[in-house]
Amino acid sequence: MANRPLSPHLQIWKWGPHMLVSILHRVTGDGMALVGLGVFLWWLGALASGPDAYGLFQAVMTSPVGYIVLIGLTWAFFTHMMSGLRHFVLDIGAGYELDTNKFWSIASPIIAILLTIAFWALIFVK
């Protein structure tokens, strides 16, 4: 009994889409908190500092690198939201059937990508 492991070892677990969604949920939450907070604080500081500072912020955010950051934050938001909705359904006791769980684990990131594309398409059209 003394040689038995206290919990299952990583070699026992089979990698599944639900694990990826769980990791993405954590990573996107951290990314929005760190990168999103930095962009938000820069925007507020630029807004309070006057037209020149705001013009620099606007120039950087409308550059290709700025668009990558903003699109990445948008993707992180929708990924985190879809994963959060999936977890909410699981928390109320639904969706634990293997097929249902696997389906929503795969569908959540795909829906998030589609929402990100639709959001930015709407912005670029206007």
Side-chain angles (χ1 to χ4, degrees):
M1 294 287 276
N3 293 334
R4 285 183 56 186
L6 297 176
S7 61
H9 193 272
L10 289 175
Q11 293 173 342
I12 293 173
W13 295 106
K14 183 178 167 188
W15 184 264
H18 59 286
M19 292 179 179
L20 175 65
V21 170
S22 180
I23 291 169
L24 280 176
H25 186 74
R26 290 176 175 94
V27 169
T28 55
D30 291 343
M32 286 188 301
L34 297 174
V35 177
L37 180 63
V39 171
F40 180 67
L41 290 176
W42 184 21
W43 175 73
L44 280 178
L47 195 61
S49 297
D52 292 337
Y54 191 76
L56 174 65
F57 173 81
Q58 201 170 20
V60 172
M61 284 297 119
T62 55
S63 72
V65 173
Y67 279 125
I68 289 171
V69 169
L70 293 175
I71 290 171
L73 283 170
T74 308
W75 169 81
F77 170 76
F78 284 125
T79 300
H80 196 77
M81 182 184 71
M82 292 308 301
S83 177
L85 290 172
R86 178 182 167 271
H87 281 282
F88 176 72
V89 171
L90 292 172
D91 286 345
I92 62 173
Y96 279 104
E97 299 80 19
L98 290 178
D99 291 338
T100 305
N101 194 338
K102 186 174 183 178
F103 172 78
W104 285 110
S105 296
I106 294 169
S108 292
I110 293 171
I111 293 170
I113 291 169
L114 294 174
L115 286 172
T116 303
I117 291 169
F119 178 82
W120 281 97
L122 186 66
I123 287 177
F124 285 132
V125 165
K126 290 186 176 197

